[in-house]
Amino acid sequence: SKKKSTSTTTTTTTHSSKNEGKKISSSSSSNKKLSSSSTSHKKTSAKKKENEPSNSTTLPSSYSKKSPTSTTSSTAPKRKKTSKTITSTATTPKKRKSMSLPTSSASKKAKTGSLLPSSIKARPTVPSIDDDVPDITDSEYENVEALMVQFCRTPLLAEFSRPVALLHPELMPIYSKIVKHPIDLGRVCRSIRRRLYQNTRAIRLDMWRIFANCVKFQTDPRNRDSAVPSFVSIALHLRAYFNALWQEYMIPSDPPPPVSSASGSKNRLALIHANHSWEKREEARKARFIQLSTTILSAKCIGRAASAIQEFTDSGGKVDVLDEQRLFHDGEDDVETFVHLLQRLKTKLQEIASSNREYTMDELRRSMRDCILSEDLFE
């Protein structure tokens, strides 16, 4: 029994020791788990601390947020400097844009000033109202009178020939409110006959004002009840016809001298305008010939062409009084041959006019070119 009791006590003690060892091992393992979890928690908190901004002195160099005002770290002024540099770089493009505008305009002025004189504007071929215009001459007055005679032969001029106060006195209350500078065709013609104009520009401005007043009155909203829309197209057509006649009557047939021959800014500007108007008339003539190439000329028109050829040969090659130089000189064989060809064309036109045969504008132009490019002139 003693042996049995000792064996039972030994077994119980061994069991208890084993249980205690297990408890100790389990507690140690739990402590290890706690320690590992605490270490992992520390690592994650350290990572979070690294990612989150802090007020300590170990901020990353790429971090550019502004620090709070309570911080007294050494990196705070550096952050302020970086913020200042960022704002300055953001505002520099605005300064550059504002500074680039005056420099570009100044450079443009310098370029234009270096190429052209100060009196010549950006578009020197277009005359302005401030340009000096020479006084009108007697020969120009003669051509203006011939121009107005031809212009006044057109129909539909009855509404423009006299003042509105005489033609339509019932429209004067509203007409005087819309049109501030009334003028009529009869007044312009009287001023031309009495030689009251100082220059040719004043004549053109008065003629343009007649048509501009008509367009202004007919398109004004206050004149809806008595407006006639067809008068707008009539006024524009008459203005275009007057401009075409001005090119033919008031621009000399002789080409102007080159611009390089001018000896002053004013003379150079006048030559630029003269060359531009001469070239513009040549372009208008080409366009007109294309439009009228198939037009059948009347007997009266053909007779006038024959008389114009006779006047051209009698004046020695001058188209009108504005031409200063004669093309024909006595004693030259080529001139005599050319005059003979023109006389033959004149007789041909007279025969066509008397026979009422169809004769187009293109045929007249080819006949004139045959006289100039004839083989008899180059033999």
Side-chain angles (χ1 to χ4, degrees), residues 216-229:
K216 185 178 181 180
F217 179 70
Q218 299 298 335
T219 57
D220 195 276
R222 292 171 288 182
N223 188 30
R224 292 179 180 176
D225 297 333
S226 59
V228 182

Side-chain angles (χ1 to χ4, degrees), residues 267-283:
N267 295 333
R268 187 168 184 269
L269 187 60
L271 286 179
I272 288 174
H273 293 168
N275 280 276
H276 175 69
S277 59
W278 197 81
E279 292 173 358
K280 193 174 180 180
R281 183 183 66 178
E282 294 300 316
E283 293 176 359

Side-chain angles (χ1 to χ4, degrees), residues 129-142:
I129 198 68
D130 299 327
D131 295 336
D132 294 332
V133 180
D135 295 336
I136 188 170
T137 60
D138 294 336
S139 59
E140 287 177 341
Y141 257 123
E142 292 179 7

Side-chain angles (χ1 to χ4, degrees), residues 35-52:
S35 63
S36 64
S37 64
S38 64
T39 55
S40 64
H41 180 68
K42 286 180 181 179
K43 288 181 181 180
T44 54
S45 64
K47 287 181 181 179
K48 287 181 180 179
K49 285 180 180 179
E50 287 178 359
N51 293 327
E52 291 178 359

Side-chain angles (χ1 to χ4, degrees), residues 25-293:
S25 63
S26 64
S27 64
S28 64
S29 63
S30 63
N31 289 329
K32 286 181 181 179
K33 288 180 180 179
L34 289 171
S35 63
S36 64
S37 64
S38 64
T39 55
S40 64
H41 180 68
K42 286 180 181 179
K43 288 181 181 180
T44 54
S45 64
K47 287 181 181 179
K48 287 181 180 179
K49 285 180 180 179
E50 287 178 359
N51 293 327
E52 291 178 359
S54 64
N55 297 329
S56 64
T57 58
T58 59
L59 280 171
S61 61
S62 62
Y63 186 73
S64 63
K65 262 191 175 182
K66 288 186 179 180
S67 61
T69 56
S70 63
T71 58
T72 58
S73 62
S74 62
T75 57
K78 290 183 181 178
R79 290 175 203 153
K80 289 180 181 178
K81 286 182 181 178
T82 53
S83 64
K84 285 181 181 178
T85 54
I86 290 168
T87 55
S88 64
T89 52
T91 55
T92 46
K94 293 182 180 179
K95 290 182 180 178
R96 285 177 185 171
K97 287 181 180 179
S98 62
M99 292 295 290
S100 63
L101 290 173
T103 53
S104 62
S105 62
S107 62
K108 285 181 181 179
K109 286 181 181 178
K111 287 180 181 180
T112 54
S114 61
L115 295 175
L116 296 174
S118 59
S119 61
I120 299 178
K121 301 175 179 57
R123 294 182 65 191
T125 56
V126 179
S128 65
I129 198 68
D130 299 327
D131 295 336
D132 294 332
V133 180
D135 295 336
I136 188 170
T137 60
D138 294 336
S139 59
E140 287 177 341
Y141 257 123
E142 292 179 7
N143 277 24
V144 168
E145 290 175 352
L147 184 153
M148 296 307 295
V149 169
Q150 181 65 32
F151 180 76
C152 292
R153 290 174 180 172
T154 58
L156 303 175
L157 287 178
E159 296 292 330
F160 303 94
S161 60
R162 301 175 69 185
V164 179
L166 297 177
L167 293 175
H168 304 285
E170 69 278 3
L171 297 177
M172 283 308 297
I174 189 171
Y175 187 83
S176 59
K177 293 179 182 179
I178 298 172
V179 178
K180 301 301 181 182
H181 302 283
I183 193 171
D184 58 279
L185 187 61
R187 179 181 171 185
V188 175
C189 292
R190 286 193 301 271
S191 300
I192 291 172
R193 286 198 301 267
R194 296 171 185 174
R195 307 291 177 95
L196 299 178
Y197 285 105
Q198 297 293 328
N199 49 52
T200 56
R201 182 175 62 187
I203 301 173
R204 296 182 75 184
L205 290 177
D206 282 348
M207 291 296 295
W208 289 343
R209 189 175 286 117
I210 294 172
F211 311 124
N213 288 343
C214 177
V215 174
K216 185 178 181 180
F217 179 70
Q218 299 298 335
T219 57
D220 195 276
R222 292 171 288 182
N223 188 30
R224 292 179 180 176
D225 297 333
S226 59
V228 182
S230 60
F231 275 109
V232 177
S233 60
I234 292 171
L236 296 177
H237 174 73
L238 291 174
R239 187 185 64 180
Y241 180 57
F242 173 78
N243 292 336
L245 290 177
W246 188 272
Q247 287 181 344
E248 296 298 330
Y249 279 87
M250 301 306 297
I251 297 176
S253 299
D254 298 332
V259 180
S260 60
S261 62
S263 61
S265 61
K266 291 184 179 180
N267 295 333
R268 187 168 184 269
L269 187 60
L271 286 179
I272 288 174
H273 293 168
N275 280 276
H276 175 69
S277 59
W278 197 81
E279 292 173 358
K280 193 174 180 180
R281 183 183 66 178
E282 294 300 316
E283 293 176 359
R285 282 178 174 179
K286 290 179 182 178
R288 200 178 301 121
F289 275 126
I290 293 172
Q291 295 175 357
L292 302 176
S293 60

